[in-house]
Amino acid sequence: MRAGAGEALHIGEGLHITDIPPELSARVPVEQRGPGLGRDSVRLLVSRGGAEVSLHAFRELPGLLRAGDVLVVNTSATLAAAVDGRLGREEVVVHFSTRGDDGRWAVELREPAGRGTTRRRAGGPAGGLVELPGGHRLVLEEPLAAGADRLWWARPSGEVPALLRAYGRPIRYAYTERDQPLSAHQTVFAVPAADGSGSAEMPSAGRPFTAELVARLVNRGVWFAPLTLHTGVASQEAHEPPYPERYEVPATTARLVNAARAAGGKVIAVGTTAVRALESAADPNGVVRAAGGWTDLVVTPERGVRVVDGLLTGLHEPGASHLLMLEAVAGRDAVRRGYAEAMARLCLWHEFGDAHLLLRDDNRNGMHC
């Protein structure tokens, strides 16, 4: 979930850090910023509880983990989820968010803002007919959630995956410099789904990984545990809790995570999506079981985490509900100190920006083990 630059950064109730200067927005992928740079050329901020913050190159990650640790990664592929359309006389951009069980799709309609970006518009109306390229149509039916009209359930006239392959492009935000090819929005872990499902926006915490870095981590004795959570569209303006999303935690991942925890290894989620899926599959004692379907879990400090010892993620924007998840994993002090250091070190925000590894404070009261 995103908010524009220049807003106050709140981390939990009452924590107010500062404004995020526009120049700290990552406008292009790191590999386009200079010769010889790769995806793993971003920086990595490390917060260990509330006591210590350090800054590293992301490619130093193998030296920060131990044999027996597990990185839980999201294999959802990013969709070319933005398509131009027309609603009556109005030009719109349709952001396809989530495929429903009944064949409908949750969509967000936005207004073109020039230079390939968009701005928010009112949702609906019910019964509205959106004309799409190639003769495709979309009928708006009802809001996705009561009292919120940003995302709507809509019924397509044909197969949406084929529409996106032919006419879609990755969702883009105003802070980026230009459109990027879909390949720039895929992680090394992405596996296309047989039914064409995927993520409306990249599970971006996995973006800095390269095949070479994965091999180095494996040689170090670090395990990779895959799961899938298809993330829907984020909001640049609305401060909303996450909507339900489809996920799957396979039995092999459940066994690997449980074995690592029993042996004393750390379970580190790569991205907030991995936290949401993994915690949705855990019982109150932190035992993970194979699970799938829809999750509406919102991880907060009050709820806590039952499985995750750490979270590797990006830098989240003002008002983002994900900040509460960071607090649940690492504690308020760790998040506050980490973000203050990120500002001081001029780290870059957003999906093409720098990374942040938050490790649990085992001495913090109320943390589930």
Side-chain angles (χ1 to χ4, degrees), residues 64-76:
L64 300 172
L65 302 178
R66 299 179 303 175
D69 290 343
V70 175
L71 290 171
V72 182
V73 298
N74 188 357
T75 63
S76 180

Side-chain angles (χ1 to χ4, degrees), residues 37 146 208 367:
L37 297 179
M367 176 58 66

Side-chain angles (χ1 to χ4, degrees), residues 215-235:
R216 289 176 52 215
L217 285 160
V218 171
N219 287 337
R220 173 77 169 173
V222 175
W223 294 89
F224 284 85
L227 52 72
T228 302
L229 185 139
H230 297 313
T231 182
V233 298
S235 169

Side-chain angles (χ1 to χ4, degrees), residues 2-369:
R2 296 177 172 84
E7 297 184 26
L9 179 59
H10 295 269
I11 300 177
E13 185 176 355
L15 284 179
H16 175 193
I17 292 186
T18 185
D19 292 344
I20 299 175
E23 59 268 22
L24 295 188
S25 293
R27 302 189 183 280
V28 296
V30 61
E31 59 271 24
Q32 297 177 18
R33 295 178 204 153
L37 297 179
R39 288 189 174 206
D40 60 357
S41 297
V42 298
R43 291 176 292 174
L44 174 63
L45 196 71
V46 179
S47 298
R48 297 174 177 86
E52 181 183 351
V53 182
S54 56
L55 189 64
H56 308 262
F58 190 85
R59 60 174 61 96
E60 295 177 44
L61 182 61
L64 300 172
L65 302 178
R66 299 179 303 175
D69 290 343
V70 175
L71 290 171
V72 182
V73 298
N74 188 357
T75 63
S76 180
T78 309
L79 301 175
V83 180
D84 294 326
R86 182 174 291 276
L87 178 62
R89 296 182 177 180
E90 180 187 5
E91 292 184 357
V92 295
V93 178
V94 181
H95 287 178
F96 285 85
S97 178
T98 307
R99 179 204 288 268
D101 293 333
D102 58 1
R104 298 187 298 176
W105 278 72
V107 302
E108 180 185 20
L109 266 59
R110 298 180 66 89
E111 294 179 354
R115 297 185 300 135
T117 62
T118 62
R119 55 178 168 262
R120 191 181 179 189
R121 67 178 291 281
L129 177 65
V130 182
E131 301 282 352
L132 298 169
H136 292 264
R137 294 182 173 186
L138 197 64
V139 178
L140 304 174
E141 294 191 352
E142 59 183 343
L144 183 63
D149 71 346
R150 185 175 64 87
L151 290 178
W152 279 62
W153 284 117
R155 192 168 297 279
S157 62
E159 289 296 318
V160 170
L163 168 71
L164 301 184
R165 287 193 297 269
Y167 302 104
R169 61 185 180 276
I171 289 174
R172 179 186 162 197
Y173 288 98
Y175 51 76
T176 57
E177 185 175 292
R178 56 182 176 270
D179 286 340
Q180 296 290 338
L182 185 59
S183 59
H185 293 261
Q186 301 291 10
T187 74
V188 71
F189 307 112
V191 178
D195 65 357
S197 296
S199 288
E201 299 185 12
M202 172 177 53
S204 56
R207 192 182 192 279
F209 287 87
T210 63
E212 179 185 2
L213 183 58
V214 169
R216 289 176 52 215
L217 285 160
V218 171
N219 287 337
R220 173 77 169 173
V222 175
W223 294 89
F224 284 85
L227 52 72
T228 302
L229 185 139
H230 297 313
T231 182
V233 298
S235 169
Q236 275 189 291
E237 298 88 1
H239 294 214
E240 304 165 340
Y243 287 103
E245 294 167 316
R246 191 193 301 273
Y247 80 104
E248 181 181 3
V249 176
T252 51
T253 288
R255 288 194 294 267
L256 180 57
V257 168
N258 292 335
R261 296 182 73 236
K266 283 187 169 58
V267 176
I268 298 173
V270 179
T272 58
T273 60
V275 175
R276 195 181 201 196
L278 195 61
E279 293 288 327
S280 296
D283 70 16
N285 296 317
V287 177
V288 180
R289 306 186 190 282
W294 292 86
T295 177
D296 60 0
L297 176 65
V298 179
V299 178
T300 65
E302 292 73 26
R303 189 266 186 192
V305 290
R306 299 167 178 168
V307 183
V308 174
D309 300 301
L311 170 59
L312 179 61
T313 185
L315 292 167
H316 296 277
E317 297 80 353
S321 60
H322 291 318
L323 293 171
L324 294 175
M325 181 185 291
L326 271 61
E327 285 187 23
V329 172
R332 179 175 295 187
D333 285 347
V335 179
R336 180 178 58 192
R337 290 172 182 265
Y339 272 65
E341 188 70 11
M343 294 290 299
R345 298 294 191 98
L346 303 180
C347 292
L348 297 181
W349 260 251
H350 304 302
E351 65 267 31
F352 298 134
D354 294 316
H356 189 190
L357 174 61
L358 298 108
L359 298 174
R360 189 178 69 176
D361 181 356
D362 291 314
N363 297 318
R364 189 160 48 87
N365 292 332
M367 176 58 66
H368 297 278
C369 297

